[in-house]
Amino acid sequence: MKPLWLRMKDQGFISKRKFENLTRRGDFSEQQKERFIARALVETRQIIVNVSSLIDSHFNHTKAVAVKSNMTTDMRHYTKVPKNRDINDYHHAHDALFVATVGQYIENKGFMKAGKLSDSVGNEYNRYTKKWIETARKNTNYGRVNPFGFVVGSMQTATRGKLDYETGELKVVKNNYWSKDDLDYLLKVVSYKKILVTTKLQDNKGAMYDANLISAKGSGKKKAQLQISKSKNIDLYGGFNKLQNEYSVLILNHDEYRWLSIPMYARNSSEQYLHDKYPDAKVILNHILVGQPILLSNSSDPQKSKFASLRIATGGDYHNNFEFVPSVDVKKILDNIYLNHSVTDDEYKKVFESLLATLHDKFVFGIHQVMYNKIFDNKYLFDKMPDEAKRNVINSLLKFMNISKNQLGAVGKIGGKVNGVLYGFKTETEKGTSAGQLISNGKMQPHDIFIFQSPTGIFERRVTVAELANVIKDE
């Protein structure tokens, strides 16, 4: 590409700086990184403003308010609700709630008018900066007068009051648009344990094969399994390691239910592909999108079955569909761990035992119970670990449970190294398989459940595999 970029520079299509950035081999300086981030932020803000203007012009009775990302951060500091991505995916809903709250406050307060700063916001900001400078000059011992921007800062002043630097007392400041009751209600909503979380269902798109081409000799443990083309023998030319799958189907084959992934190359010949693999199979669901939620049982006996909340991926894989929702006390401790605040031994133990109980109750397959037993039988080791090792163990368990992680818990150990010493729990089985890895052969029981949801998750329908099969029989 360098000769092309050189010609473009010589002919004036790109600048000298652009050419240097494209052909740079070393790392960027700190100043260059800061400038790049600043430019990216400016572009993002411009996009947000343009999108809000587009919404305003397209929808008659809708008002779009652009809210800067730092206001969301201010709201988290103001409400003392840190953003811990490792616990669950609720932080996305909380961010949306904070954005909506600030946006409505800005609108009610009259800070924006016709998409621009109003006189009200100018006056408010002038009063804010004037007071800040005045109090900062009088009293330098109090540090920063307000830790937030003037929008969230005015919300905090309404609930906390203003500090009188002469008396040291907080004086109530009336605000018609925000009050202590509003803050209490916001915190109540944020603390809800049940939040609907849905995943976008879609076909897998992209290359037909794994992008990594493997030589005829192989690469480590990987061996080529698929030809580059029909005319090129794998033993001479190498090939690809695995197919990329697009979607799945549910079939009934000789009284056995299973789901099967359809590779991308067979998207237009899926019936023939299925017939070649299972000539006598009957199709129950002909198109299962990636991310389809299901409840998968751990037993062939419906009366004894426990169910795991999973999502169907491709290639025989399952993804976790369970959200870990800690108790209020455990959530507070986890936040302190996340913020590197002081945590007692009893608090560490309380979180550890809560995570273990969740592992036992929600991850019901035998291979997961092996993982649980290996940790439970050696849980006395946790009490003897240094604090940093305890944090590593807790973070490893959270990572395993987290719905956002791709594959369901391919975990060989729980814990990590501290000062070169490995602390934690080995969870590998005797055969060397990670105990958290849910190995799937695609088989399903008649009482396993498919969950069909609306995009918001407000409406859903749960249907067993047997009921789906009966619909096909009736047709």
Side-chain angles (χ1 to χ4, degrees), residues 172-356:
V172 177
V173 178
K174 186 178 179 181
N175 187 326
N176 295 327
Y177 306 102
W178 190 252
S179 66
K180 181 68 166 55
D181 290 340
D182 295 322
L183 175 62
D184 290 342
Y185 181 72
L186 177 64
L187 293 174
K188 177 184 176 181
V189 175
V190 168
S191 65
Y192 283 168
K193 287 191 173 183
K194 181 61 177 177
I195 296 179
L196 296 176
V197 178
T198 56
T199 301
K200 183 183 178 183
L201 307 185
Q202 59 188 357
D203 287 335
N204 191 23
K205 301 295 183 183
M208 292 186 180
Y209 305 97
D210 189 332
N212 296 321
L213 186 63
I214 300 174
S215 68
K217 295 180 181 179
S219 176
K221 295 181 179 180
K222 290 185 178 180
K223 302 293 181 182
Q225 299 176 8
L226 303 165
Q227 292 175 264
I228 299 173
S229 65
K230 290 183 178 179
S231 62
K232 294 185 177 181
N233 188 287
I234 289 178
D235 295 332
L236 294 175
Y237 296 97
F240 299 99
N241 183 45
K242 64 177 181 179
L243 290 168
Q244 296 292 343
N245 300 299
E246 185 168 358
Y247 62 93
S248 301
V249 296
L250 177 65
I251 62 172
L252 174 61
N253 184 55
H254 300 301
D255 297 325
E256 182 181 80
Y257 297 101
R258 67 166 61 241
W259 63 272
L260 177 73
S261 292
I262 302 298
M264 290 187 181
Y265 78 84
R267 66 175 58 157
N268 296 323
S269 57
S270 58
E271 292 183 5
Q272 185 62 46
Y273 178 82
L274 284 172
H275 184 268
D276 292 342
K277 278 188 166 292
Y278 300 99
D280 301 323
K282 187 173 185 179
V283 177
I284 307 299
L285 283 177
N286 63 2
H287 201 120
I288 303 174
L289 298 173
V290 177
Q292 170 64 47
I294 62 170
L295 296 177
L296 194 69
S297 60
N298 66 344
S299 172
S300 59
D301 187 345
Q303 303 301 321
K304 297 180 180 179
S305 289
K306 293 182 178 180
F307 292 87
S309 181
L310 305 171
R311 289 182 285 122
I312 290 179
T314 59
D317 290 334
Y318 291 111
H319 291 178
N320 183 23
N321 197 37
F322 163 72
E323 293 281 358
F324 172 59
V325 183
S327 66
V328 175
D329 292 341
V330 171
K331 173 65 166 60
K332 186 175 181 180
I333 299 169
L334 283 170
D335 287 340
N336 287 333
I337 292 174
Y338 175 74
L339 297 171
N340 287 319
H341 291 171
S342 177
V343 178
T344 66
D345 290 338
D346 288 341
E347 288 175 330
Y348 277 123
K349 188 173 182 179
K350 186 171 186 176
V351 172
F352 178 63
E353 290 178 347
S354 173
L355 292 171
L356 266 188

Side-chain angles (χ1 to χ4, degrees), residues 136-151:
R137 284 174 177 170
K138 283 183 178 179
N139 230 314
T140 57
N141 297 327
Y142 285 99
R144 185 174 176 183
V145 174
N146 197 321
F148 310 120
F150 79 97
V151 174

